[in-house]
Amino acid sequence: MEGQTNSPENEPITENKELNIWEALIPVIALIAMLAFNVFVFGDDALSGSNQFILLLGGAVAAIVGYFNKVQYNKMIDEVANNVQSTTGAILILLMVGSLAGTWMISGIIPTMIYYGLQILNPTIFLAACVIICSVISIATGSSWTTSATVGIALIGIAEALDISVGMTAGAILSGAYFGDKLSPLSDTTNLAPAMAGTDLFTHIRYMLFTTVPTITITLIIFIIIGLNLDISGDTDTSAILSSIESSFTISPWLFIVPLVVILLIVKKTSPLIALLIGTLLGAAAALIFQPDLVAQIAGVKNLDFISGYKGIMQAITVETSVVTDNVDLNDLFSSGGMAGMLGTIWLIICAMVFGGIMEAIGALETISRALLNMFHTTFGLFASTVFSCLALNATASDQYLAIVVPGKMFAKAYKDKGLAPENLSRTLEDSGTVTSVLVPWNTCGAYHSGVLGVPTLSYAGYAFFNYLSPFMTLLFAAFSIKIKQLSTKTA
């Protein structure tokens, strides 16, 4: 139809009158069971490819259901092709995000943000400072895992020196880490959620601010109150970390010009691909100006010239690049996968589209959507069912990506039928799928952060205020119809 965007929720979903709700749920139940077993076997390594194959197996189960309901093979393949085509924009954005992360790392932009972020640490408001520091670093890197494994470990060490509860500290670290992860355009989940819901990256980020800012504000207030009532002693010395950053990068406030330009482009509603491309090119220019020795090192030469400069920049854009410092704990932080680092998420999206496409072709999503709409006659009911599904998948499939992918694909049609804009769904997926994964001990995120920080999941879960308040905030907005955007009706 003229005037429509080519996105997942706009793709036609085939009605199959012979398919009942139990038949429609067979592939979903099979998928969840297989994913749960796969994560049990592989743990964190499940994201390396086995989960993607499980999604294909889920699609095979759906195809078998379709076969017994006389759905033609070609029809299923056509739906898969349409679904994969609908993610073209998201895939290109993911590749561009990887390239931007690479140039922002070697240019010193991300290290500069981390450098100044660490300096806001104040002993009198230690817990709130942990939230802010981890927020800044997670926004800069787009990764809660990297934040936890680097600065998070350092902050836990400082907390132990100050005799502050490591459970409280871990809760503060993860609150900030997931706030940044949730809003950073460099984050894979921030790209994955709009891709599943059928909206664009920057619309998704802007719309998330409505629920995310109040939640992080409440979180900060709680930690300030707790911090002011703690007896803090000792020294929060980050001089060694700061010195290591300074010895490896040229730190300058001028580097903030690049992210500010990108933010301005986002505010001006510039196309995401254009904004990210400009950010990448500016990052490359900044690398040549501020970090010529580092670019030469990446290129494998002593003196930088045009050819070696080109080679160093292209390597940072396309493949994994690491900057080795004299502080072992910082080395993981100062690494970027480039465009190649995004291929795992792209692989996941394509496999999810295979599962979703076959589910559409056999009429399963139409059946499930209609059943949900019959069960939940209100907008709040639909939001609540989305939140519940994300939480259930985090607990059963044990993976935050799948807690976004499966409900995102399953609920897109239901939101459209309710006349709700797709950013409502993408925001709810992040508010309930992304941030709650770390609260489940057997989830890959919960197991990872617990292991890295050395703090049991149940010890920090009660203090990860941002993470468990986020689903309540999104339900509060839905209950009172606050910032619930309706689909605009455009005539051709």
Side-chain angles (χ1 to χ4, degrees):
M1 181 183 295
E2 188 177 349
Q4 283 190 328
T5 58
N6 190 22
S7 52
E9 84 282 8
N10 285 329
E11 296 295 335
I13 293 183
T14 305
E15 291 190 37
N16 188 325
K17 295 180 180 178
E18 297 179 9
L19 207 64
N20 61 47
I21 184 62
W22 298 112
E23 290 173 322
L25 286 174
I26 288 173
V28 176
I29 295 170
L31 177 65
I32 292 173
M34 288 188 292
L35 288 171
F37 178 75
N38 192 59
V39 172
F40 172 77
V41 173
F42 284 96
D44 293 346
D45 291 333
L47 285 174
S48 300
S50 55
N51 273 348
Q52 285 87 328
F53 184 69
I54 293 298
L55 281 165
L56 296 182
L57 288 180
V61 173
I64 293 171
V65 173
Y67 173 79
F68 283 104
N69 282 274
K70 297 181 174 58
V71 179
Q72 294 181 351
Y73 171 81
N74 288 338
K75 189 173 190 177
M76 289 186 266
I77 293 298
D78 287 342
E79 287 292 347
V80 169
N82 288 335
N83 268 17
V84 173
Q85 183 183 11
S86 73
T87 64
T88 301
I91 289 172
L92 290 174
I93 287 174
L94 278 170
L95 291 173
M96 197 56 64
V97 165
S99 67
L100 180 139
T103 60
W104 280 26
M105 179 59 68
I106 66 166
S107 65
I109 293 171
I110 290 175
T112 295
M113 296 173 76
I114 294 171
Y115 180 84
Y116 287 110
L118 282 172
Q119 294 189 59
I120 69 172
L121 193 64
N122 187 318
T124 59
I125 52 169
F126 175 75
L127 293 172
C130 287
V131 176
I132 296 171
I133 289 168
C134 291
S135 295
V136 171
I137 293 172
S138 192
I139 287 175
T141 62
S143 172
S144 59
W145 285 35
T146 301
T147 302
S148 176
T150 52
V151 175
I153 293 174
L155 291 172
I156 288 291
I158 294 171
E160 290 176 332
L162 296 174
D163 198 26
I164 296 176
S165 164
V166 291
M168 287 184 184
T169 305
I173 290 168
L174 294 172
S175 290
Y178 274 84
F179 167 79
D181 191 327
K182 188 177 169 212
L183 289 179
S184 174
L186 303 180
S187 168
D188 43 12
T189 57
T190 309
N191 283 273
L192 187 61
M196 292 300 101
T199 186
D200 67 85
L201 173 64
F202 293 140
T203 297
H204 169 60
I205 292 174
R206 285 193 296 267
Y207 202 64
M208 276 200 298
L209 290 172
F210 294 123
T211 55
T212 305
V213 171
T215 307
I216 196 65
T217 301
I218 293 171
T219 299
L220 280 169
I221 291 172
I222 294 172
F223 276 120
I224 288 172
I225 293 172
I226 293 174
L228 291 175
N229 288 279
L230 289 176
D231 182 18
I232 299 177
S233 59
D235 183 27
T236 56
D237 185 14
T238 59
S239 58
I241 296 176
L242 296 176
S243 177
S244 295
I245 296 174
E246 281 185 305
S247 66
S248 302
F249 299 91
T250 299
I251 302 299
S252 171
W254 290 106
L255 287 166
F256 283 110
I257 292 175
V258 177
L260 287 174
V261 169
V262 175
I263 290 171
L264 179 62
L265 291 172
I266 294 171
V267 171
K268 293 293 184 180
K269 298 184 179 180
T270 305
S271 167
L273 281 173
I274 295 174
L276 293 171
L277 175 60
I278 292 173
T280 299
L281 296 176
L282 290 176
L288 295 172
I289 295 170
F290 289 93
Q291 322 291 342
D293 293 340
L294 182 56
V295 176
Q297 178 186 328
I298 292 170
V301 298
K302 291 184 177 180
N303 298 315
L304 189 69
D305 56 23
F306 177 79
I307 298 299
S308 59
Y310 173 81
K311 183 179 179 181
I313 294 297
M314 289 302 292
Q315 283 188 227
I317 287 174
T318 56
V319 297
E320 184 175 356
T321 305
S322 299
V323 178
V324 179
T325 71
D326 56 10
N327 188 320
V328 177
D329 294 333
L330 287 176
N331 290 339
D332 286 341
L333 186 60
F334 295 143
S335 65
S336 170
M339 296 171 77
M342 291 295 171
L343 294 180
T345 303
I346 291 171
W347 187 11
L348 179 68
I349 289 175
I350 292 173
C351 292
M353 290 300 102
V354 172
F355 174 74
I358 297 175
M359 288 285 284
E360 288 180 2
I362 68 174
L365 292 186
E366 179 70 22
T367 300
I368 294 171
S369 296
R370 189 183 298 112
L372 289 170
L373 291 174
N374 290 336
M375 290 173 61
F376 303 105
H377 299 286
T378 65
T379 297
F380 175 79
L382 184 57
F383 275 79
S385 62
T386 308
V387 170
F388 175 78
S389 297
C390 291
L391 296 177
L393 276 162
N394 263 328
T396 56
S398 303
D399 182 76
Q400 67 171 350
Y401 297 98
L402 298 168
I404 292 173
V405 168
V406 177
K409 199 61 195 166
M410 191 169 65
F411 282 92
K413 182 67 166 57
Y415 275 73
K416 183 181 178 183
D417 288 348
K418 276 288 187 183
L420 299 171
E423 48 263 42
N424 291 288
L425 174 57
S426 65
R427 182 177 73 184
T428 307
L429 292 174
E430 289 250 62
D431 282 343
S432 51
T434 299
V435 300
T436 61
S437 58
V438 74
L439 304 176
V440 181
W442 53 87
N443 189 286
T444 53
C445 293
Y448 172 82
H449 288 289
S450 175
V452 164
L453 297 175
V455 182
T457 305
L458 297 180
S459 295
Y460 67 65
Y463 298 104
F465 300 114
F466 177 80
N467 301 70
Y468 66 74
L469 287 176
S470 291
F472 290 104
M473 186 63 70
T474 203
L475 290 176
L476 183 66
F477 272 56
F480 291 96
S481 298
I482 304 170
K483 295 298 180 181
I484 305 300
K485 188 176 179 181
Q486 304 296 311
L487 276 173
S488 57
T489 54
K490 296 181 180 180
T491 57

